[in-house]
Amino acid sequence: ENPNITAIESDLVMGYCKIDADCQEILYKPVLPIMAHPPDRVSDLSMEQFIYLMLSSGNHHIKLDFKEIDTISKTVQFLE
């Protein structure tokens, strides 16, 4: 972790999240906001996990780049 990095830009799409980073097995349901760039539809990091990681670090601000309209409402729901 580099203390000089304070901003992180991230892309969100609707897709599937791997069960864990080391496993190739994919959790097929539900489709949820994931951290990925189109055309990718599988990630090892969900939007919720990403937000929790950023909040726990306490010193980052983030720019969320919503690549699909459905990711906006699901992210806002989570943040409320």
Side-chain angles (χ1 to χ4, degrees):
E1 189 171 314
N2 184 336
N4 295 322
I5 297 172
T6 61
I8 297 176
E9 187 271 339
S10 54
D11 297 327
L12 287 100
V13 297
M14 296 300 289
Y16 306 103
C17 199
K18 292 181 182 179
I19 290 174
D20 60 54
D22 298 322
C23 183
Q24 294 302 310
E25 188 174 352
I26 297 169
L27 179 63
Y28 283 100
K29 292 188 181 185
V31 174
L32 65 154
I34 60 168
M35 308 314 291
H37 191 277
D40 291 338
R41 295 286 173 201
V42 177
S43 176
D44 60 357
L45 187 61
S46 71
M47 172 272 298
E48 291 182 10
Q49 293 168 316
F50 176 76
I51 298 291
Y52 282 129
L53 286 170
M54 293 299 99
L55 290 175
S56 68
S57 72
N59 60 354
H60 291 100
H61 61 277
I62 59 174
K63 175 189 173 231
L64 299 176
D65 190 352
F66 299 99
K67 298 295 186 182
E68 298 172 346
I69 196 82
D70 291 347
T71 59
I72 298 170
S73 61
K74 298 214 182 268
T75 301
V76 170
Q77 274 181 326
F78 173 74
L79 293 173
E80 290 179 330

